[in-house]
């Protein structure tokens, strides 16, 4: 089933629906389709939040039988960064703090979610969390992102051909 983009804007509509962020193939480690070693993770958004659901395999462990903290940090950075689109922002991470609460076992389904907490001119403060299927907190993060200037944002939108696609059968997380 194919669907048309929701709107020409990159702002996620606040209409209660779930959207998938779609960009042309690229090499991002977390969401890029062209990165053979990456996660190729689809990112969803609704009502001011961005999220992904996944299960990490053994290729992403640090110590035996627990996911590498750097991978978890990358996941948190990714969903918090995608949450910026609620504000039509293309930003870069300026600072991020991660709190690891419980180990994440490979083969264990996880939910990674991000949201924007505060906006001031070009600076955005975000929060993210990783939970398991029961809602147990596994890791959390806060970050600050700096928005790209308008000209750079327009350039990135054209380069990646960013669009939102409504998704059926996925409930807001």
């Amino acid at each position: 089933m194919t669907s048309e983009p929701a709107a020409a804007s990159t702002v996620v509509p606040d209409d209660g629906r779930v959207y998938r962020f779609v960009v042309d193939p690229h090499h991002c480690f977390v969401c890029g389709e062209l990165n053979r070693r990456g996660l190729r993770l689809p990112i969803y958004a609704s009502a001011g939040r961005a999220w992904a659901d996944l299960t990490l395999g053994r290729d992403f462990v640090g110590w035996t039988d627990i996911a590498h903290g750097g991978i978890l940090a990358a996941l948190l950075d990714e969903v918090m960064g995608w949450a910026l689109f609620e504000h039509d922002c293309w930003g870069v991470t300026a600072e991020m703090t991660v709190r690891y609460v419980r180990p994440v076992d490979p083969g264990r389904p996880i939910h990674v979610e991000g949201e924007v907490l505060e906006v001031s001119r070009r600076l955005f403060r975000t929060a993210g969390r990783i939970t398991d299927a029961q809602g147990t907190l596994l890791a959390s993060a806060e970050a600050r992102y700096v928005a790209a200037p308008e000209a750079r944002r327009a350039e990135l939108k054209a380069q990646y051909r960013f669009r939102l696609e409504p998704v059926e059968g996925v409930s807001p997380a």
Side-chain angles (χ1 to χ4, degrees):
M1 166 194 237
T2 56
S3 56
E4 293 300 321
S9 171
T10 59
V11 177
V12 179
D14 188 10
D15 60 6
R17 297 173 71 185
V18 173
Y19 291 85
R20 182 173 182 266
F21 293 116
V22 180
V23 294
D24 278 358
H26 60 290
H27 289 278
C28 174
F29 174 75
V30 177
C31 70
E33 296 174 17
L34 299 178
N35 190 328
R36 292 179 322 170
R37 294 184 180 105
L39 297 170
R40 300 178 183 167
L41 195 60
I43 309 290
Y44 299 95
S46 180
R49 297 173 299 115
W51 74 88
D53 294 297
L54 71 150
T55 301
L56 292 169
R58 297 192 55 71
D59 291 345
F60 301 103
V61 300
W63 292 102
T64 302
D65 295 330
I66 60 173
H68 192 286
I71 299 297
L72 301 178
L75 289 167
L76 287 161
D77 185 35
E78 191 76 10
V79 296
M80 290 186 297
W82 281 107
L84 298 175
F85 283 99
E86 187 67 24
H87 301 276
D88 196 24
C89 172
W90 292 65
V92 294
T93 312
E95 174 182 76
M96 186 168 95
T97 302
V98 179
R99 181 174 171 250
Y100 300 98
V101 179
R102 298 185 187 283
V104 175
D105 303 321
R108 179 183 195 178
I110 58 174
H111 175 78
V112 187
E113 184 174 313
E115 64 183 326
V116 176
L117 299 177
E118 183 180 343
V119 177
S120 67
R121 282 188 57 139
R122 289 186 52 213
L123 189 64
F124 293 77
R125 188 169 66 90
T126 62
R129 65 204 135 276
I130 299 175
T131 56
D132 64 12
Q134 291 73 42
T136 303
L137 182 65
L138 305 172
S140 63
E142 283 205 17
R144 294 184 194 280
Y145 293 81
V146 177
E150 182 60 40
R152 178 67 173 144
R153 191 167 49 221
E155 180 183 306
L156 290 167
K157 286 179 187 181
Q159 177 183 345
Y160 287 101
R161 295 187 334 148
F162 176 92
R163 55 217 177 267
L164 293 167
E165 290 184 355
V167 178
E168 301 299 325
V170 175
S171 62

